[in-house]
Amino acid sequence: MREAALIAAAVAAALPVAAKARDTAVYHNEGPLRGSLLRNEPAPVYSTDPRDPWNRLFHLLYARKLRAEVGPPENSNAPWMSITRLEGGDLPEFFFPPDGGYLVQEPRRSRLRSVLEAGVSSPTLRGRSPEARILFQQDLWNRFDALHALAAKDSRATPLARLLARLMARVALTNDELAGMRLSFAETAQERLDVLDPRLFEADSGWSELVSYFELGPSSDTGGGTTMHARRAAWRLVFRRFVRVPPEAGGEGCLREHLAATHGPAAGRSAAAVEGPCGWNGLPSGTTALLLETPLALSADGELHSIPLVLAAQVRVVRPGGSFAFLHAPRLTVSGSPGLSLEPLGEQDLLPQTGSVFPRSDGQPLVRLRQSCVLCHGPDGGKLGTAMMQLPPRTERLAPANTVEEGRVLRAKRESESFRALLRFFREP
């Protein structure tokens, strides 16, 4: 009871702490180490209490040293730097590489097993919000998938994967609790009107969702038709792409014309398609594009649910020089707040060069936000990422109030071998 009270008090106190862009007592705040851990000890991820079992487990699951090439600021002639950073703490999930080999190395393996066994016996749920439990399950799920992939060549991975699955079951919400979650994007957007439009899902908002269909061969994976971001996240997360061309620039008609020029059968073949204001060269100035990230969750009965909890929003506005923003929901903020607050990455914050599109690896470059975004979307933000592919996929324009993309991700996860393995452990008594 005393431990539960401490956790509840720490969670309640978390919101004002998380409102800071960087906690300088925990993270480096300057230079190429910016955003990495100062010390190899649990960070305030799910509460401000360093004794919180969830903080200790998160540290064991994720904290490790990674090499990186760090680029200079844009338009700087300074050389790239080769450094080693202690990564961990309350970072967006794509900052963590998908491999799990370090988890089975001693002494981490023994410590991790001990903490997981304690968690399965007593998961410390008192004082935890439903949103915190969903995020914690996501963090466990991420490392389960990593260990499952490792198990074929290292038998030490299976006992840890089994414990992760059993703890996922212990922290899971019921089907009714998950089905009853009605978190409003409009309410979340009200706090960030500078970059988010609360009317996104309204019928006359002017927004369209883009859903791409990749050609799949007989040996393709089951989720090949989903976004590349969802595939990178092993279909634990849903990523939806929205675009709004302002009426004065041609509105939805302009977007249709652009898709025909860039993703249709005759993409880029005619001079008109290339030179038109809505043609192959890019979307018109003033266009806004949004990538919205939400999680899947597994109920206590082992059923998959798509949850309308916005974990991140990547926004760009097409204009000379482009405008790029990345908002994410820190775990600490979600754990301590009855609503949802998105926090922006700063202009000097470093992130993996390929963003949330491809998996991070040891040694991968770290760059600033704009330097990552322009790789897929051009210097003014006017390119669709799929248009930059050698063979752009067939892409449909849908009204935002649909469930096509989340349905595709749910289907891909259900059909994956890792999910079948998870359920076998998840349903153990």
Side-chain angles (χ1 to χ4, degrees):
M1 290 294 291
R2 183 175 180 275
E3 184 182 53
L6 286 171
I7 292 171
V11 169
L15 182 57
V17 176
K20 300 177 183 178
R22 281 285 185 266
D23 184 346
T24 55
V26 178
Y27 304 99
H28 286 279
N29 200 42
E30 301 290 342
L33 295 179
R34 181 182 175 96
S36 62
L37 292 174
L38 284 167
R39 292 172 295 277
N40 188 15
E41 59 187 42
V45 175
Y46 281 98
S47 81
T48 56
D49 182 0
R51 296 166 294 178
D52 185 342
W54 286 16
N55 288 346
R56 287 190 280 119
L57 179 54
F58 186 92
H59 187 74
L60 284 170
L61 289 172
Y62 287 97
R64 60 165 158 162
K65 291 182 178 180
L66 290 171
R67 294 171 299 127
E69 299 291 320
V70 177
E74 198 170 20
N75 301 320
S76 169
N77 292 323
W80 285 67
M81 299 177 61
S82 298
I83 62 167
T84 299
R85 294 162 47 104
L86 178 58
E87 299 287 24
D90 200 353
L91 297 173
E93 58 83 33
F94 69 88
F95 279 63
F96 300 110
D99 61 295
Y102 67 100
L103 295 172
V104 299
Q105 301 301 317
E106 295 293 359
R108 190 191 298 250
R109 184 184 72 87
S110 296
R111 293 172 181 168
L112 181 55
R113 181 165 188 158
S114 176
V115 173
L116 283 170
E117 288 173 344
V120 171
S121 299
S122 178
T124 62
L125 298 182
R126 188 182 298 274
R128 310 287 189 184
S129 68
E131 293 82 3
R133 290 168 66 177
I134 290 170
L135 288 185
F136 187 57
Q137 188 187 70
Q138 273 279 328
D139 288 328
L140 300 174
W141 201 351
N142 182 310
R143 295 297 79 190
F144 173 89
D145 282 349
L147 286 167
H148 173 74
L150 179 66
K153 58 183 179 181
D154 193 326
S155 61
R156 295 174 297 176
T158 300
L160 293 177
R162 178 174 175 269
L163 286 168
L164 282 167
R166 293 184 65 197
L167 184 52
M168 284 178 62
R170 295 299 304 275
V171 304
L173 299 169
T174 67
N175 280 318
D176 288 344
E177 287 172 325
L178 291 174
M181 296 193 75
R182 292 290 181 266
L183 302 169
S184 170
F185 172 82
E187 292 177 9
T188 301
Q190 285 292 344
E191 295 190 12
R192 298 304 316 227
L193 293 175
D194 54 330
V195 288
L196 297 178
D197 181 1
R199 300 183 63 248
L200 172 65
F201 291 102
E202 295 181 12
D204 60 348
S205 68
W207 285 89
S208 298
E209 181 174 10
L210 303 186
V211 176
S212 294
Y213 297 87
F214 297 86
E215 294 297 329
L216 303 180
S219 61
S220 300
D221 58 63
T222 56
T226 64
T227 64
M228 297 175 69
H229 305 76
R231 273 178 275 168
R232 192 269 315 156
W235 312 294
R236 295 179 301 269
L237 299 167
V238 179
F239 291 84
R240 299 179 64 186
R241 304 154 57 212
F242 301 93
V243 177
R244 182 182 184 274
V245 179
E248 60 271 21
E252 295 178 8
C254 175
L255 181 57
R256 280 195 300 270
E257 182 180 332
H258 180 73
L259 289 176
T262 56
H263 294 70
R269 294 180 186 172
S270 69
V274 173
E275 297 172 2
C278 302
W280 183 85
N281 279 332
L283 289 160
S285 184
T287 296
T288 303
L290 166 67
L291 181 70
L292 209 58
E293 174 187 335
T294 57
L296 299 188
L298 203 53
S299 75
D301 292 330
E303 292 188 19
L304 272 179
H305 292 253
S306 180
I307 307 299
L309 173 67
V310 179
L311 300 185
Q314 300 179 45
V315 187
R316 71 182 190 276
V317 179
V318 182
R319 67 185 188 195
S323 175
F324 305 94
F326 182 97
L327 309 174
H328 71 111
R331 298 165 184 82
L332 190 59
T333 305
V334 174
S335 299
S337 171
L340 181 65
S341 180
L342 297 176
E343 178 180 306
L345 289 183
E347 289 184 1
Q348 296 305 312
D349 285 338
L350 297 169
L351 70 158
Q353 188 176 42
T354 56
S356 61
V357 184
F358 297 108
R360 183 181 180 182
S361 59
D362 189 26
Q364 188 183 69
L366 297 178
V367 297
R368 288 147 191 88
L369 178 65
R370 173 184 162 77
Q371 293 169 307
S372 172
C373 295
V374 298
L375 295 177
C376 291
H377 303 297
D380 66 350
K383 299 285 189 179
L384 296 176
T386 46
M388 303 290 276
M389 295 179 176
Q390 186 175 7
L391 293 174
R394 178 174 65 87
T395 299
E396 291 184 348
R397 186 183 62 85
L398 305 176
N402 73 81
T403 60
V404 171
E405 190 60 37
E406 68 180 46
R408 296 203 302 173
V409 175
L410 283 165
R411 200 157 48 245
K413 193 60 181 175
R414 288 192 185 104
E415 294 174 1
S416 69
E417 200 278 327
S418 68
F419 184 65
R420 292 191 291 271
L422 171 65
L423 287 182
R424 288 195 295 271
F425 296 138
F426 189 93
R427 289 170 171 159
E428 288 184 354

